[in-house]
């Protein structure tokens, strides 16, 4: 009640100044108080009698009589009414008096006594006093009538003011309600001192409740807030109440009737009087939909859409977090696995990106299966994945995980009717070594490089000397750029023999590129990939073609007219628009007949299946040049390609020959490939023949030609000259034996 009274005083601004002004207007002075005081005792009994009359009079009207049906209540009211009349005469008319009047007014208003009864009672009282003081006065009746008329008018004036206020309030409420409906926000109003909470219908319905179902204290609000969010909300409210924030503006979760939590935004402002917050009011907006979008965006920024795995951004964050945590001395090992699929480009190029994507998704799932709870998997990009291992007792644990991954990935992968075998190389690096933080990503990348270099499908661990290897690789790349200008390239030639005759006869030589670097002869396996990557292969390849054609033409003129020349061609060469005209120039320039030239291409080149490749191959075939498909069986080629392109020769890859004839499975594949080539009317070359039984096997299967250390290793042109002399233009096998090539 007191709080409410204060509130009322503040609202009607009834301070000392206002009270004084009201008195001044009524010409009230001390003499008035003295006069009333002096007459108080004289009128006491007649006032008491008036109280009785008043209640009897009120009983004649239905509304007040309904309010006065309780005799005890009536007695209490009569008593306080009497008190009031006494006080009216004796005063003092101070602040306490004013508060007393306001309090009584509030009670009357609250129990439902309308103003007309309230003011009417004053008029009756004055009339009664008039009769008492001016009994027998000739004008008494007249003044009584005037009083009635004036009081009647007073009720009308008050009604007019009240109605105007009510209308303004209703208008503003209607406007407010419309705005609220438009904003779809809930409204709350919290009287802090009284802990009385008002919430709007919308506030409640947001939580699946009706307004009646929500209690009237703040507990019914805070009790629904998510336990994790409650301290934050309280802090935000306190910060505002203490004047540290201009508004309350806070997001938190609140429980819906169905048990789920909604995200809401509460906005509000406190009403502060004399530095004291009396109440706070504001709105509440359901922001769950926006939060969901934010969460989706947040997720998208940190995840790969194809596999659903966390991405590089997330990896950076996690690495950072892990390093910071380790800095505080948690004694567990953490390591990073850098996983790269072997030859994934081949799958993409030959089977298309849709298949490539499906392979990546399957790989992601397999990787996930290899991990323990707490390990984290990321897609780093393309065919690269990262695993972050934490909480290991030693870095050796990481090797066991890597081994598991290699085994899992190597299981055949069924895609529709296709079975693929993929493998991966893995680089392992600890997050710290010798107490120092490593750039683990770079270190694992170096280790990966080592695993690839060592033959792929394996893992390698980071070590400091890897840095040296990498430096070498960089140096190699830079030296390679200058090798052609410095005339450091040379060609070696390896015989390919015809098996139609016994002993086999020299049919062709394959030109194989070598790089002489500081007395060291670098193998093409070491530098061709780097040349392919830099594009340098185009220029070097042109040199190879010209040099090989020139050399073989020279041998032809020196008594080997039937000798053919096989040259390896990279796909980048063939994709050059001017490749065919340039080749025609080289043939003319060197004098090598086009029918003496064999170009060796790989499966992956065919799989690109672009118009330019098709046209170039057709033009080459029309020129009489023969096309050989190299390393057959190692790619993912669909066999349909064999018929689509003008291919003349099939080279069975040495990986199938190596195990023959003892390895049943490999022999079966070699046999099938040879049979396939023959049935397609292609000439078949078996590559990598190292032993007599291998030769016997491929010859028995009907292979037309063979190449391998059994006959001769690749030799320099000078050595080849000697071989040709000794061999007497045939019987290369015998010649190699003489020259000590054969084991
Ligand atoms: P390739 O075209 O399959 O060449 C055959 C490779 O097998 C050669 O390796 C050869 O030395 C090796 N080889 C031959 N017989 C045997 C054998 O009995 N046992 C074993 N273990 N290996 C044998 P090399 O010379 O190291 O060449 C490797 C690859 O580099 C070539 O494979 C070819 O793809 C590429 N290459 C070589 N020269 C050139 C070139 O001028 N241009 C292009 N684009 N690629 C080239
Ligand atoms: Mg070749």
């Amino acid at each position: 009640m007191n709080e409410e009274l204060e509130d009322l005083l503040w609202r009607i601004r009834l301070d000392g100044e206002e009270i004084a002004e009201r008195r001044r207007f009524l010409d009230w002075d001390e003499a008035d108080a003295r006069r009333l005081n002096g007459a108080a005792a004289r009128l006491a009994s007649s006032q008491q009698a008036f109280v009785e009359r008043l209640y009897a009079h009120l009983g004649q009207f239905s509304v007040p009589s309904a309010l006065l049906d309780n005799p005890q209540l009536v007695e209490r009211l009569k008593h306080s009414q009497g008190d009031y009349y006494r006080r009216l005469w004796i005063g003092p008319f101070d602040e306490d008096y004013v508060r007393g009047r306001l309090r009584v007014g509030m009670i009357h208003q609250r129990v439902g006594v309308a103003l007309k009864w309230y003011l009417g009672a004053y008029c009756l009282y004055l009339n009664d006093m008039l009769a008492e003081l001016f009994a027998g006065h000739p004008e008494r009746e007249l003044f009584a009538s005037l009083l009635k008329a004036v009081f009647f008018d007073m009720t009308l004036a008050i009604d007019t003011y009240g109605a105007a206020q009510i209308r303004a309030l209703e208008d503003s409420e209607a406007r407010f309600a419309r705005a609220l409906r438009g904003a779809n926000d809930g409204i709350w109003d919290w009287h802090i001192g009284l802990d009385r909470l008002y919430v709007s219908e919308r506030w409640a319905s947001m939580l699946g409740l009706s307004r009646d179902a929500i209690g009237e204290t703040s507990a019914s609000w805070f009790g629904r807030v998510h336990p994790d969010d409650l301290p934050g909300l309280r802090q935000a409210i306190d910060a505002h109440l203490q004047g540290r924030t201009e508004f309350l503006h806070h997001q938190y979760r609140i429980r819906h009737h169905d048990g789920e939590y909604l995200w809401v935004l509460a906005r509000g402002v406190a009403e502060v009087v004399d530095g004291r917050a009396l109440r706070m009011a504001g709105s509440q907006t359901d922001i769950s939909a926006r939060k969901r979008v934010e969460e989706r965006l947040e997720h998208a920024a940190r995840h790969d859409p194809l596999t659903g795995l966390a991405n590089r951004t997330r990896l950076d964050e996690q690495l950072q977090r892990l390093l910071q945590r380790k800095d505080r001395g948690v004694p567990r090992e953490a390591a990073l696995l850098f996983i790269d699929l072997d030859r994934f480009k081949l799958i993409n190029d030959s089977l298309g990106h849709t298949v490539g994507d499906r392979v990546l998704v399957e790989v992601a799932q397999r990787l996930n299966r290899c991990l323990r709870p707490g390990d984290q998997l990321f897609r780093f990009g393309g065919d690269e994945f990262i695993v972050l291992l934490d909480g290991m007792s030693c870095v050796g644990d990481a090797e066991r995980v890597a081994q598991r991954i290699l085994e899992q990935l190597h299981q055949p992968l069924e895609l529709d009717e296709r079975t693929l075998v993929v493998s991966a190389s893995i680089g392992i690096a600890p997050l710290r070594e010798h107490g120092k933080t490593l750039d683990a990503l770079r270190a694992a990348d170096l280790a990966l490089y080592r695993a690839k270099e060592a033959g792929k499908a394996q893992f390698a661990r980071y070590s400091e000397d890897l840095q040296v290897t990498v430096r070498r690789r960089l140096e190699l790349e830079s030296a390679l750029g200058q090798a052609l200008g410095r005339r450091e390239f040379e060609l070696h030639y390896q015989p390919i023999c015809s098996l139609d005759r016994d002993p086999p006869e020299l049919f062709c030589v394959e030109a194989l590129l070598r790089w002489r670097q500081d007395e060291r002869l670098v193998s093409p396996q070491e530098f061709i990939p780097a040349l392919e990557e830099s594009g340098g292969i185009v220029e070097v390849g042109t040199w190879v073609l010209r040099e090989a054609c020139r050399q073989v033409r020279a041998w032809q003129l020196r008594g080997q007219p039937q000798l053919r020349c096989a040259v390896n061609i990279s796909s980048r060469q063939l994709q050059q628009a001017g490749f065919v005209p340039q080749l025609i120039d080289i043939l003319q320039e060197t004098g090598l007949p086009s029918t003496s030239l064999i170009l060796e291409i790989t499966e992956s080149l065919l799989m690109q299946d672009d118009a330019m490749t098709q046209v170039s191959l057709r033009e080459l075939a029309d020129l009489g040049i023969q096309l050989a498909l190299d390393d057959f069986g190692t790619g993912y080629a669909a066999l349909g390609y064999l018929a689509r392109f003008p291919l003349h020769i099939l080279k069975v890859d040495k990986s199938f020959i190596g195990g023959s004839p003892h390895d049943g499975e490999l022999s079966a594949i070699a046999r099938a490939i040879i049979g396939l080539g023959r049935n397609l009317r292609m000439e078949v070359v078996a590559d990598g023949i190292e032993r007599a039984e291998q030769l016997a096997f491929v010859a028995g299967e009907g292979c037309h030609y063979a190449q391998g250390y059994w006959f001769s290793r690749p030799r320099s042109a000078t050595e080849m000259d000697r071989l040709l002399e000794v061999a007497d233009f045939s019987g290369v096998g015998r010649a190699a034996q003489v020259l000590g090539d054969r084991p």
Side-chain angles (χ1 to χ4, degrees):
M1 185 83 183
N2 276 342
E3 292 270 359
E4 257 176 279
L5 187 61
E6 294 301 333
D7 191 49
L8 182 63
L9 278 167
W10 181 76
R11 253 167 229 294
I12 53 182
R13 312 270 186 273
L14 201 57
D15 52 12
E17 216 171 293
E18 171 69 16
I19 293 169
E21 188 173 71
R22 288 190 190 188
R23 282 197 184 141
R24 250 195 345 271
F25 188 70
L26 296 173
D27 274 337
W28 174 273
D29 61 26
E30 284 307 308
D32 290 309
R34 270 200 309 279
R35 252 178 246 123
L36 288 175
N37 280 188
R42 181 157 54 95
L43 287 159
S45 62
S46 54
Q47 286 191 153
Q48 203 52 50
F50 170 71
V51 172
E52 292 301 329
R53 270 201 303 283
L54 172 64
Y55 278 79
H57 188 65
L58 284 170
Q60 294 169 34
F61 296 85
S62 58
V63 176
S65 68
L67 292 169
L68 299 172
D69 64 346
N70 177 344
Q72 281 156 343
L73 172 75
V74 172
E75 267 325 295
R76 259 205 331 273
L77 289 174
K78 283 180 181 172
H79 188 73
S80 60
Q81 192 82 16
D83 278 351
Y84 163 58
Y85 291 138
R86 262 192 305 282
R87 178 87 195 259
L88 184 63
W89 291 82
I90 57 172
F93 303 98
D94 54 9
E95 205 177 309
D96 190 42
Y97 178 85
V98 172
R99 283 172 180 269
R101 290 324 304 148
L102 289 182
R103 185 176 289 118
V104 170
M106 268 166 61
I107 293 169
H108 280 110
Q109 185 265 333
R110 200 177 286 170
V111 297
V113 179
L115 199 68
K116 61 183 180 189
W117 312 118
Y118 199 32
L119 283 183
Y122 276 111
C123 183
L124 292 176
Y125 172 72
L126 286 177
N127 259 320
D128 209 78
M129 291 300 104
L130 188 66
E132 191 66 35
L133 293 170
F134 300 100
H137 192 287
E139 303 289 13
R140 187 185 64 90
E141 298 284 343
L142 174 63
F143 192 75
S145 306
L146 179 64
L147 269 181
K148 289 173 199 171
V150 168
F151 266 83
F152 179 63
D153 282 5
M154 262 163 69
T155 59
L156 296 181
I158 289 171
D159 280 349
T160 315
Y161 274 69
Q165 268 173 9
I166 288 167
R167 204 183 55 226
L169 196 66
E170 280 172 356
D171 281 356
S172 100
E173 267 184 355
R175 257 199 312 277
F176 188 53
R178 268 198 304 278
L180 276 187
R181 275 200 303 278
N184 205 23
D185 286 350
I187 289 297
W188 53 273
D189 182 353
W190 178 29
H191 198 299
I192 297 169
L194 302 176
D195 189 20
R196 255 214 334 266
L197 177 72
Y198 161 85
V199 295
S200 70
E201 201 57 61
R202 172 69 190 130
W203 196 101
S205 72
M206 234 181 249
L207 307 186
L209 295 166
S210 73
R211 220 161 67 79
D212 301 338
I214 306 240
E216 290 199 335
T217 65
S218 60
S220 46
W221 175 7
F222 297 132
R224 291 187 161 82
V225 175
H226 193 288
D228 293 348
D229 298 353
L230 187 57
L233 176 62
R234 285 201 189 280
Q235 274 166 21
I237 292 176
D238 285 350
H240 177 59
L241 292 181
Q242 289 161 13
R244 281 184 279 126
T245 54
E246 204 174 340
F247 301 100
L248 167 72
H249 188 279
H250 191 75
Q251 302 182 3
Y252 64 95
R253 284 164 294 173
I254 190 163
R255 201 176 56 248
H256 189 271
H257 180 55
D258 64 13
E260 296 282 312
Y261 280 92
L262 305 178
W263 271 104
V264 291
L265 166 66
R267 276 179 284 224
V269 66
E271 196 174 70
V272 182
V273 179
D274 298 332
R276 213 156 52 95
L278 289 178
R279 58 205 299 163
M280 223 174 145
S283 64
Q284 180 145 291
T285 316
D286 181 352
I287 54 165
S288 304
R290 194 185 82 201
K291 275 280 177 190
R292 276 195 296 276
V293 173
E294 274 174 17
E295 275 164 17
R296 271 207 298 279
L297 285 176
E298 173 80 2
H299 188 270
R302 286 173 171 67
H303 289 82
D304 159 47
L306 177 68
T307 59
L309 296 182
N311 65 12
R312 214 164 161 155
T313 313
R314 184 107 183 99
L315 171 68
D316 288 342
E317 289 169 357
Q318 293 299 306
L319 267 176
Q320 212 54 39
R321 196 183 58 85
L322 216 61
L323 285 173
Q324 272 163 10
R325 201 206 60 195
K326 281 193 75 104
D327 282 342
R328 276 187 240 124
V330 178
R332 303 290 284 179
E333 295 285 348
L336 198 138
L337 305 187
F338 204 133
I339 304 164
D340 184 285
L341 298 186
D342 298 328
R343 306 194 312 155
F344 181 69
K345 188 174 176 316
L346 196 60
I347 295 184
N348 249 347
D349 288 348
S350 50
L351 304 176
H353 287 266
T354 316
V355 175
D357 284 355
R358 289 176 61 190
V359 169
L360 289 173
V361 170
E362 173 66 25
V363 165
Q365 287 166 357
R366 289 187 182 192
L367 290 174
N368 249 326
R369 286 202 287 271
C370 296
L371 304 181
R372 308 156 308 169
D375 296 342
Q376 300 180 69
L377 177 61
F378 305 83
R379 180 165 176 216
F380 195 63
D383 59 343
E384 295 168 333
F385 296 85
I386 300 273
V387 172
L388 201 53
L389 298 170
D390 188 21
M392 297 179 300
S393 53
C394 64
V395 181
D397 287 357
E399 291 186 5
R400 274 185 283 284
V401 178
Q403 187 55 43
R404 228 175 21 241
I405 289 176
L406 290 178
E407 282 158 18
Q408 261 288 332
L409 289 186
H410 210 65
Q411 302 296 319
L413 202 150
E414 311 284 344
L415 285 184
D416 302 334
E417 276 116 64
R418 214 178 260 124
T419 304
L420 295 176
V421 177
V422 290
S423 67
S425 304
I426 305 179
I428 306 175
L431 259 55
R432 304 190 131 214
E433 202 171 52
H434 312 308
K436 277 204 330 246
T437 303
L438 275 183
D439 181 349
L441 256 178
R442 210 178 96 80
D445 194 16
L446 287 181
L448 172 66
Y449 172 74
R450 148 100 16 123
K452 291 260 178 201
E453 216 186 22
K456 306 185 177 165
Q458 53 191 288
F459 65 78
R461 241 175 98 165
Y462 168 79
S463 66
E464 272 171 16
D465 58 312
L466 263 183
Q467 308 268 15
V468 180
T469 317
V470 170
R471 195 163 345 104
R472 238 206 108 234
R473 163 93 192 212
L474 289 175
E475 284 163 7
L476 176 127
E477 277 168 18
S478 120
L480 200 53
Q482 303 165 36
L484 196 60
R486 293 182 180 168
R487 297 171 176 271
E488 288 171 351
F489 287 122
E490 56 189 71
L491 287 186
H492 281 202
Y493 298 88
Q494 188 178 31
I496 299 174
C497 296
S498 160
L499 302 182
D500 294 344
R501 305 271 170 76
D502 190 25
E505 267 181 19
L506 177 63
F507 156 72
C508 174
V509 285
E510 179 176 0
L512 294 161
L513 186 59
R514 299 288 180 265
W515 178 22
R516 190 169 293 282
Q517 211 201 5
D518 308 327
E519 295 311 306
R520 197 172 82 97
L521 211 52
V522 188
S523 141
Q525 257 121 351
E526 272 187 62
F527 66 84
I528 295 266
L531 271 184
E532 298 255 15
E533 214 164 281
S534 68
I537 190 70
V538 175
E539 207 188 344
V540 175
T542 307
W543 176 84
V544 171
L545 258 175
R546 183 174 284 114
E547 179 57 20
C549 291
R550 188 198 60 72
Q551 179 59 68
V552 173
R553 182 59 189 159
W555 283 325
Q556 283 185 344
L557 293 176
R558 271 190 265 145
Q560 292 278 355
Q562 86 300 342
L563 188 65
R564 300 199 195 182
C565 168
V567 179
N568 293 286
I569 297 292
S570 131
S571 57
R572 294 189 73 145
Q573 282 174 273
L574 210 60
Q575 279 158 356
Q576 297 288 311
F579 179 73
V580 179
Q582 189 186 45
L583 184 61
I584 295 170
D585 283 352
I586 291 176
L587 290 174
Q588 271 174 0
E589 188 189 310
T590 58
L592 187 79
S594 59
T595 46
S596 297
L597 183 62
I598 297 169
L599 295 184
E600 297 196 358
I601 56 176
T602 54
E603 277 178 62
S604 58
L605 186 138
L606 296 188
M607 301 319 132
Q608 287 169 8
D609 201 11
D610 60 305
M612 178 70 94
T613 313
Q614 283 252 20
V615 171
S616 301
L617 291 180
R618 181 65 54 197
E619 280 180 299
L620 293 171
D622 290 346
L623 286 170
I625 295 170
Q626 292 205 299
L627 297 172
L629 190 54
D630 211 354
D631 306 332
F632 185 74
T634 57
Y636 293 91
L639 296 175
Y641 286 100
L642 292 180
R644 187 155 351 138
F645 292 96
L647 300 168
H648 310 96
I649 299 169
L650 201 62
K651 290 188 82 170
V652 185
D653 189 68
K654 43 186 172 302
S655 56
F656 302 115
I657 304 295
S660 306
H662 305 299
D663 184 316
E665 278 178 19
L666 286 178
S667 312
I669 297 174
R671 191 177 294 126
I673 295 175
I674 296 166
L676 177 75
R678 288 182 63 92
N679 287 333
L680 288 170
R681 291 186 218 302
M682 294 166 81
E683 301 197 303
V684 184
V685 181
D687 197 357
I689 301 291
E690 293 181 354
R691 295 191 307 277
E693 64 264 32
Q694 291 170 337
L695 181 62
F697 169 72
V698 298
E701 291 303 325
C703 226
H704 306 94
Y705 306 104
Q707 170 182 5
Y709 296 169
W710 174 257
F711 300 108
S712 164
R713 289 178 181 270
R715 298 158 178 271
S716 65
T718 327
E719 280 181 75
M720 199 63 199
D721 280 337
R722 283 178 58 212
L723 182 74
L724 292 173
E725 278 164 26
V726 176
D728 195 14
F729 315 130
S730 66
V732 173
R734 214 166 48 241
Q737 205 170 22
V738 174
L739 293 171
D741 231 14
R742 195 175 291 173

